[in-house]
Every structure is written in structure tokens, then in C-alpha cells.
Amino acid sequence: MPPAGSLTDEQLSFFDTNGYLVLESFSSSEVVKAMRDRMAELVDGFDGASADVFSTKDHRQVKNDFFFKSAENISFFFEEKAFGDDGCLKQPKELSINKVGHALHELDPVFKKFAFSANVSSLFSSLSYKRPAVIQSMYIFKQPGIGGEVVPHQDNTFLYTEPPSCTGLWLALEDATKTNGCLWAIPGSHKNGLIRRMIRDENDTHFDHPSPTYDQKEFVPLEVKSGDLVVIHGDLIHQSFENLSPVSRHALSLHVIDTEGCEWSKQNWLVYSDIF
């Protein structure tokens, strides 16, 4: 039996047309449980002090050393609405964290095992990658009641190669529905190319173009079950809404680029010198 990542011609055609693909039951319940249990251990050992707030609406955190250094660390980021007026957490830390990133795939054996699994390798072989490299990893909590909105964006905006080669993998570690903040995407939007880039200079980051306004009627929900994988083209416009439900929506996100025939931009917020 071929690995779960071996794509059929029909699946490749759907991905080419729509810019996304849902692979049902990509990971077993045992694999999902292992990653959730491991993250619970990491959160339990987190002191709650060495962290920052993450928001896609306000990118001021993408201008500080903590965020930059998270590229090579396992770093914790709180939800924007996790704190009260007194500056203290309104709920336990395990219900306050937005995400953990961005080097889980390099530094933690449980997440590394998934990132470099036969299923993931087979997937990128199907997508004709010559020498794929996982460039960042994030465990996303989408906490109940306060899970922050992720505004419409393209992954190539942040992880640019020339030519563009970023593909996102979004593994559901819990069921993701319209109620608890599933992904939404504009089918076929990847065919319009990259709209803007985030540029890092000596001590700051900025976008080279303003964010356009999107017609929400063009988005379709990508509701998935725990263990399902969403494959996301780097130019696909996608988003997720705030989670106002009482149910969390844990997910693992990996971003992969091709390191053969593609050049990593030195203007990316992630600085790498040893992957090409």
C-alpha cells in the first residue's frame, strides 16, 4: 500500500485547479495523540514568562528579537485576548497560548518524526519537489472563546523563494468546523500570483504593498476531521475566523520549500544560510 502522501492524478488535478487539497485520514489517531500529548508536556514545562503575543492583525511582534529568534527555537506566543486589563492571564496558560513555533520540526523528536515521515516525503515527491525542506513549523491552538482571527493571506508573502515554491501543510489535530475556526480559502486564487511580500531589513519588517480587500462570498470553508491534512499552495488566499465556540481547534502547520532550483530570499523574516 503506497504512503498516504502519494497523490493520484485526480488529486493533483484538483490541487492545480483549486490551490488546496484535503487528504482525509492522512495521520492516524495514534500519531495525532502523540503530538497532542507532547505539546501538553511542552506547555506544562513552559514558565509563562518567556513569551510574546501573536496577532495577524497587528504585525508589531514581527519586529522584535523574540519573534526573529523563534525561527530556531520552540517559542510560545499568547493569544491577543488572553490578558485582562490588569495585564494578567484571564485563564490558565494552557488555554491562553496562540501557537508554539517555529522549529518544532528540528528540535522536538515527536514533531520531527512527522515532518520527516514517509507520508510527507511521498507527498512532496508527488508535487515534483526536487529537494524539499521544512522551513518552519507551528502548533496552533485556536483556543476556545479567544482563538484569534487569521486574516486573508498567502504563505509566499512570508516565505519567499525565487521562483516561488512554498507549500503549506495543515494537519488537523482536532475536528475543524465553521464553528470553531476552520480554514477558509478562495478556490483558484493561487493562479493570480503573489500579491505582496513581507520584507525584512536591518531591524524591521514591512509589507511592500497594502493588503487588498476580499469578497468574503468567494471563500469556501475547509471543514476537516482530526487526522486530515490540508495541502495549501503558497499563493492561495486563505484565512480563519476567531474561535468564539467553547471547543478548541488544535492543528500542526508545516511550510516546505524546494531548495533545488529555488533561491531563498534574504529579505524573508526567517534567516537561513545552510539549507541551500
Side-chain angles (χ1 to χ4, degrees):
M1 184 176 180
S6 297
L7 302 183
T8 65
D9 289 342
E10 183 179 3
Q11 288 172 321
L12 288 168
S13 177
F14 184 95
F15 182 70
D16 181 64
T17 299
N18 294 282
Y20 67 87
L21 177 68
V22 175
L23 299 177
E24 296 180 353
S25 301
F26 184 84
S27 291
S28 67
S29 58
E30 291 78 15
V31 169
V32 169
K33 183 178 185 302
M35 287 192 278
R36 291 201 58 186
D37 287 350
R38 177 55 182 151
M39 182 50 63
E41 292 176 356
L42 291 174
V43 171
D44 185 59
F46 168 53
D47 61 11
S50 54
D52 200 354
V53 173
F54 183 80
S55 169
T56 64
K57 290 183 177 181
D58 181 358
H59 282 88
R60 64 178 179 269
Q61 81 281 342
V62 195
K63 300 181 180 183
N64 63 44
D65 285 342
F66 183 85
F67 191 88
F68 290 145
K69 290 178 180 177
S70 71
E72 53 192 21
N73 291 312
I74 296 176
S75 302
F76 294 78
F77 297 84
F78 284 118
E79 288 283 2
E80 197 173 18
K81 294 184 178 180
F83 298 90
D85 294 337
D86 58 359
C88 297
L89 291 176
K90 295 188 292 185
Q91 57 281 309
K93 64 179 180 180
E94 61 269 19
L95 295 175
S96 303
I97 299 170
N98 173 289
K99 70 175 183 177
V100 176
H102 291 93
L104 287 163
H105 63 287
E106 292 182 345
L107 301 178
D108 188 274
V110 174
F111 294 99
K112 186 173 186 177
K113 184 178 180 180
F114 171 78
F116 294 93
S117 64
N119 284 355
V120 171
S121 177
S122 177
L123 172 58
F124 283 94
S125 293
S126 294
L127 293 174
S128 300
Y129 275 60
K130 298 174 182 176
R131 194 172 66 181
V134 180
I135 207 70
Q136 74 170 18
S137 49
M138 298 179 288
Y139 189 108
I140 306 166
F141 293 80
K142 206 71 163 181
Q143 300 285 8
I146 61 170
E149 172 188 5
V150 176
V151 299
H153 67 283
Q154 299 167 296
D155 292 338
N156 276 328
T157 292
F158 308 96
L159 304 167
Y160 184 75
T161 62
E162 182 57 52
S165 66
C166 180
T167 294
L169 302 183
W170 195 94
L171 179 70
L173 301 178
E174 293 182 294
D175 293 353
T177 68
K178 288 184 285 187
T179 302
N180 71 348
C182 71
L183 294 175
W184 293 70
I186 301 179
S189 56
H190 64 300
K191 292 185 177 293
N192 297 323
L194 184 60
I195 295 171
R196 66 176 186 158
R197 287 182 56 197
M198 173 185 277
I199 305 295
R200 176 177 178 174
D201 53 30
E202 292 183 359
N203 53 20
D204 202 350
T205 60
H206 64 276
F207 292 101
D208 60 357
H209 293 96
S211 177
T213 300
Y214 297 101
D215 183 353
Q216 289 296 323
K217 295 179 182 178
E218 295 184 16
F219 287 87
V220 298
L222 305 181
E223 294 186 292
V224 292
K225 296 291 187 180
S226 177
D228 293 351
L229 183 79
V230 184
V231 186
I232 303 171
H233 189 284
D235 283 342
L236 181 76
I237 298 167
H238 58 290
Q239 65 178 354
S240 65
F241 295 111
E242 189 174 9
N243 181 13
L244 300 178
S245 81
V247 181
S248 60
R249 191 227 63 189
H250 290 202
L252 179 72
S253 174
L254 302 179
H255 289 98
V256 177
I257 61 168
D258 204 340
T259 61
E260 184 172 322
C262 300
E263 182 177 355
W264 178 253
S265 174
K266 295 179 180 179
Q267 295 178 316
N268 287 333
W269 78 269
L270 276 166
V271 177
Y272 283 109
S273 59
D274 58 350
I275 61 172
F276 292 92

